[in-house]
Structure formats: C-alpha cells, structure tokens
Amino acid sequence: MSTIADAICLGEQIGCVHPLHTFLCRLERNPSLFQPERLRERLIALDNLDAEFGDFDSESSARRTDPSIHERARALRTRLEATNAELYRSVRSQIVRGSRPHALLQWLQDSANENEAIDPLPGSSFDWRDELVSGVLQLREPSEPNFQRPTEMVPYQPTPVRHILRLIAAAPLAEDDVFVDLGSGLGHVPLLVSMVTGATSLGIEVEAAYVASAQECAQSLCLGGVQFISQDVREADLASGTVFYLYSPFKGSILTDVLSALRSESTRRPITVCSLGPCTRAVANQRWLKAKTITDVGRITAFDSQ
Ligand SMILES: C[S@@+](CC[C@H](N)C(=O)[O-])C[C@H]1O[C@@H](n2cnc3c(N)ncnc32)[C@H](O)[C@@H]1O
C-alpha cells in the first residue's frame, strides 16, 4: 500500500475521514483480492466500486467525489480488472490447447454445488458467473442488428449462466450428446455446454450477425465441437440433436411448427427438450413430452419424449 493510503487508513482509525476512504481502505488492505483464484471476490469488489462511483470516466462522477478518492478508486479498479484479464487469458489459452479449463469448471461447479443445483434463483438477472463467462468468451457484440424480425420472433436476450448450469445437470448432458440451441443468439449457451461437458453443440440462429460473432468465438478458442448456422429454425435439419433448448425464442405459429418438428424427431429416437421462460407453458402442454423437473417458467424445465 502507498504511504498516502497508509496515512489515510490511519486517519480512518481515528475517525476523521470520509466513509468512501474506509470503503477503499478495506479493499486496498486486502492483498488476497489480487490472488488469481479470488475471482469471485474481485468481481463483487468491482460491482461495489461501480455502485459507489458510477461511471469513473464521466465528469459528473469525478466532480461528485474528492479527487484523491476518485483517483484511488480508479487505480484500484484498473488493478482488479488487469488481474481478471490475466486470468481470462490463461483460461482461454487452456481451452485453445485443448485441455479442460479446470479453474473455470471448478468455479462454476462450486457455485452450482453451493445451494442451487436444484433450485437456482428464478428470472433473468445476472451475477458474477455471467461476468466470468463473458470475460472468457469475449464475444463481440454486433453493432447493428440488420434483420427485420417478424413479431413472433423474440429479440436476443442471453440465458444467465446459473440456468445453463442447471440445464446441464437437469438434461443431463454428457459427452455423447448433441446439444441444439434453437435460436442461439450470440452462442454462449452452446459454447459453455461444450466446454463444460465435452458434448457436441449446435446453435441455430436467424440473425446472421450473431452467428458470425459466435463462429468467431468458437474459432478463436479452437472449439471444433461447436457449430453455428444462420437459419430459421423451421428450416433447419434437427436430425442429429439429442437435447434441444428453447429460451422462449419465438411464439405463436413458429413455436407450434418447431414443437411439431421436435415431435417428429422424437419418433426416431428419444430426445430431451429443455425450456426457460414463457414458452415452457406451450412445451408443458405437449402430450408426447413428460416433465422430469418441476415445471416453472422462471427456471429450466427438462422434458423427456415418451
Ligand atoms: C431469447 S433469445 C435466446 C438466445 C440464446 N438461446 C440464449 O439462451 O442465450 C432468442 C433468440 O432466438 C432467435 N430467433 C428468433 N426466432 C428465430 C427463428 N425462427 N429461427 C432462428 N432463430 C430465431 C432470436 O434472434 C434470438 O437471438
């Protein structure tokens, strides 16, 4: 810690400094925060810094705070982000070399084991695991969607990572499965499923710009078992899939057509269908499917064909 920070922290002990000094001192005095494996704590600290200081680069944020506090907070954020970036680089290079990304898998596994293997928080909010996966995948956000979408096609909204972990456990997905994300958006679900389980994955997405980003990511990580195609799901070949996923990608007649195509697939081999969001109601009404988890629109529901 710097001499100035030491003096400030001493000031804190005698009760003569701003509460934000105290907040910063606590973080600065915690050397373990910079150990690579303390990722979760770092991500939470970064969230707290953002909550306290808002956008560091905006003039109004700088004006609101004492300049020395603002500078210390900015320096701390830079160090925390640099530590995370180094970690993401190392996880990415493990994946590129074809080895299992043990650190990543361990974090995800531990978090899923904690208390939510069966019952993750419902809904579409995000947590530190979404930051972790986005840091590792580094998916490029396409600038302008260039597709005029019919109203029955739902715009892109990513599945939170906690639900993907639940999906993997509930299906359950194994190395010999072929996972198909129907309406895959930027592709983080098939990418993560393959990285975690070794299964082959396919993402089908109508928006070509999203598919381009997803393919770029799979190539940069040398993930040969993950493919993306730019197509309307109604026209896609579903013959290889064993586990299908719908995060409410479409409604109305498109959903009816796709469920009917999945039903045809189920007459050739047993399949599993997992869903999240409002489409779960329509999936649950299919007499050829039987739910094997509690049916809940806010969480993953898994169905087996019968
Ligand atoms: C709610 S997002 C889900 C994205 C991704 N599956 C996930 O869980 O993160 C729905 C996606 O489905 C895509 N979509 C909508 N209708 C489609 C169709 N008929 N064929 C292929 N993709 C479609 C949308 O462009 C959007 O990216």
Side-chain angles (χ1 to χ4, degrees):
M1 189 190 307
S2 74
T3 324
I4 296 174
D6 275 340
I8 289 163
C9 294
L10 183 65
E12 176 208 321
Q13 284 163 25
I14 56 174
C16 62
V17 292
H18 195 281
L20 282 179
H21 280 292
T22 315
F23 167 74
L24 282 178
C25 278
R26 273 199 208 110
L27 295 178
E28 288 167 339
R29 277 176 182 171
N30 181 1
S32 71
L33 205 54
F34 297 92
Q35 289 164 2
E37 68 278 9
R38 293 304 182 95
L39 174 76
R40 180 181 184 163
E41 288 90 331
R42 270 195 306 282
L43 291 172
I44 292 170
L46 279 164
D47 259 359
N48 291 339
L49 280 173
D50 281 349
E52 290 291 349
F53 294 90
D55 178 3
F56 278 88
D57 301 320
S58 82
E59 274 187 25
S60 64
S61 159
R63 264 202 311 272
R64 265 200 320 270
T65 327
D66 174 312
S68 72
I69 298 186
H70 196 266
E71 256 333 288
R72 278 172 61 206
R74 185 203 287 274
L76 186 61
R77 186 185 67 165
T78 305
R79 279 180 69 202
L80 291 168
E81 284 180 341
T83 311
N84 287 354
E86 184 49 44
L87 187 82
Y88 298 147
R89 258 195 299 280
S90 107
V91 173
R92 282 179 67 84
S93 66
Q94 273 176 1
I95 299 170
V96 168
R97 285 197 306 271
S99 13
R100 305 281 295 217
H102 289 294
L104 172 72
L105 299 180
Q106 195 63 52
W107 277 308
L108 295 178
Q109 170 127 41
D110 289 352
S111 70
N113 285 345
E114 273 167 15
N115 50 15
E116 53 172 31
I118 294 175
D119 216 8
L121 206 62
S124 56
S125 62
F126 297 100
D127 62 32
W128 66 277
R129 287 164 292 192
D130 299 286
E131 281 291 328
L132 162 60
V133 169
S134 115
V136 170
L137 296 181
Q138 293 175 20
L139 282 158
R140 183 179 51 80
E141 194 84 37
S143 46
E144 279 293 314
N146 49 19
F147 174 71
Q148 287 300 319
R149 130 189 346 266
T151 49
E152 287 187 332
M153 295 191 184
V154 176
Y156 179 56
Q157 164 78 19
T159 299
V161 167
R162 67 179 180 286
H163 293 307
I164 307 176
L165 300 175
R166 175 67 188 132
L167 164 91
I168 290 169
L173 272 150
E175 215 164 359
D176 54 355
D177 275 309
V178 178
F179 170 76
V180 184
D181 187 358
L182 302 167
S184 51
L186 276 175
H188 75 302
V189 184
L191 289 160
L192 192 59
V193 161
S194 281
M195 273 159 43
V196 170
T197 66
T200 303
S201 294
L202 171 65
I204 305 169
E205 168 60 47
V206 74
E207 174 74 67
Y210 289 143
V211 171
S213 291
Q215 280 169 335
E216 238 172 60
C217 176
Q219 272 161 20
S220 72
L221 289 171
C222 303
L223 288 170
V226 193
Q227 277 197 339
F228 293 96
I229 52 171
S230 169
Q231 206 171 23
D232 187 316
V233 167
R234 286 171 294 182
E235 286 145 24
D237 178 2
L238 305 177
S240 61
T242 59
V243 178
F244 295 87
Y245 175 51
L246 300 113
Y247 180 20
S248 299
F250 25 71
K251 38 197 180 183
S253 64
I254 308 184
L255 183 55
T256 307
D257 290 352
V258 171
L259 287 172
S260 149
L262 289 176
R263 183 185 187 169
S264 300
E265 293 302 325
S266 77
T267 60
R268 295 178 201 115
R269 63 196 182 283
I271 63 169
T272 298
V273 177
C274 297
S275 65
L276 178 65
C279 78
T280 296
R281 292 191 196 97
V283 182
N285 282 337
Q286 303 297 305
R287 308 241 325 247
W288 56 278
L289 284 172
K290 188 170 181 339
K292 56 180 177 174
T293 57
I294 292 169
T295 305
D296 179 348
V297 296
R299 298 187 171 90
I300 292 288
T301 306
F303 304 83
D304 278 339
S305 61
Q306 49 178 0

